[in-house]
Amino acid sequence: MLAAFIASFLLIAVSELGDKTFFIAAILAMRHSRRLVFAGAVSALAAMTILSVLVGQVAALLPKTYIQYAEIALFLGFGLKLLYEASKMPVSSCDTEIIQEAKTAVEKAEFNLPKTQNAGAIIAEAFTLTFLSEWGDRTQIATIALATRYPVVGVTIGAILGHALCAALAVVCGRMLAGRISERKLTIAGGILFIIFGVMAVVEAA
């Protein structure tokens, strides 16, 4: 249980910090109530985590050998991909392209909305934007993979708390962090973590 919690918490916290969903929450928090944006974002991330864990439990019904090979391929593949992407990034500052994508997503969502929004509308906006941005993300796939071999409760709690930590940082101090987050360093850290989990899967399959 503890291993599941630590693995999912670390993987999510490192991978999501500075991701598109992080900047979406940060931008929304500059325009609306931080508490409402946080509630909507965390609700979406918790829903996505629970859905991913359920998918992982279904996938766990497959033959164990297939699951192990899939885990190895996913973790090592993502890890190498992240390290390759990091090698192409500038050494300093965050990825302005990700920030622009997040800003564009928020502006499109708010274009047809009334200038004065109630609490429910703000929460719904944060929920929808976060959920759609997180769908198919590498952390979703990683959560599915973790749920196939670790205790469900540990994975779920660890992943949700990892997401909540990143969301809290985004809404509280996203503007300050936006110019200081090194996307390259975070990508390297994420790549290393994925490779570590991949190696662990290889050792377990041996």
Side-chain angles (χ1 to χ4, degrees):
M1 181 74 73
L2 181 60
F5 172 83
I6 294 173
S8 57
F9 179 83
L10 286 177
L11 193 61
I12 297 301
V14 172
S15 298
E16 286 297 305
L17 188 62
D19 199 5
K20 184 178 177 181
T21 51
F22 176 91
F23 289 115
I24 284 176
I27 293 170
L28 286 173
M30 295 176 195
R31 306 182 180 196
H32 307 291
S33 165
R34 292 176 176 178
R35 287 179 296 178
L36 296 178
V37 171
F38 177 79
V42 170
S43 297
L45 294 168
M48 181 66 73
T49 297
I50 293 171
L51 177 62
S52 300
V53 169
L54 291 175
V55 173
Q57 287 296 287
V58 173
L61 299 176
L62 296 172
K64 186 176 180 181
T65 303
Y66 294 160
I67 295 173
Q68 289 175 330
Y69 285 137
E71 287 178 352
I72 293 169
L74 285 173
F75 283 126
L76 292 182
F78 276 126
L80 293 173
K81 182 176 181 290
L82 288 173
L83 292 179
Y84 174 76
E85 290 176 353
S87 69
K88 302 295 182 181
M89 293 178 179
V91 176
S92 60
S93 74
C94 58
D95 192 336
T96 55
E97 183 178 347
I98 291 179
I99 296 177
Q100 186 56 47
E101 287 179 3
K103 186 177 180 180
T104 300
V106 172
E107 289 176 347
K108 285 183 178 179
E110 297 197 331
F111 181 74
N112 294 318
L113 294 177
K115 292 183 178 180
T116 302
Q117 299 180 40
N118 58 34
I122 294 171
I123 292 174
E125 180 185 1
F127 181 96
T128 303
L129 282 173
T130 302
F131 192 89
L132 292 177
S133 296
E134 192 67 17
W135 184 264
D137 189 71
R138 61 177 176 266
T139 52
Q140 182 195 16
I141 298 174
T143 303
I144 293 172
L146 289 172
T148 61
R149 65 187 182 106
Y150 284 115
V152 174
V153 176
V155 172
T156 303
I157 295 174
I160 290 176
L161 287 181
H163 281 303
L165 173 63
C166 291
L169 288 173
V171 300
V172 173
C173 49
R175 180 181 296 179
M176 180 186 70
L177 292 175
R180 292 175 172 81
I181 293 176
S182 173
E183 184 69 17
R184 184 171 185 269
K185 291 179 181 179
L186 289 174
T187 303
I188 290 173
I192 291 172
L193 271 177
F194 272 99
I195 288 177
I196 289 173
F197 287 123
V199 171
M200 289 172 60
V202 170
V203 172
E204 185 178 308

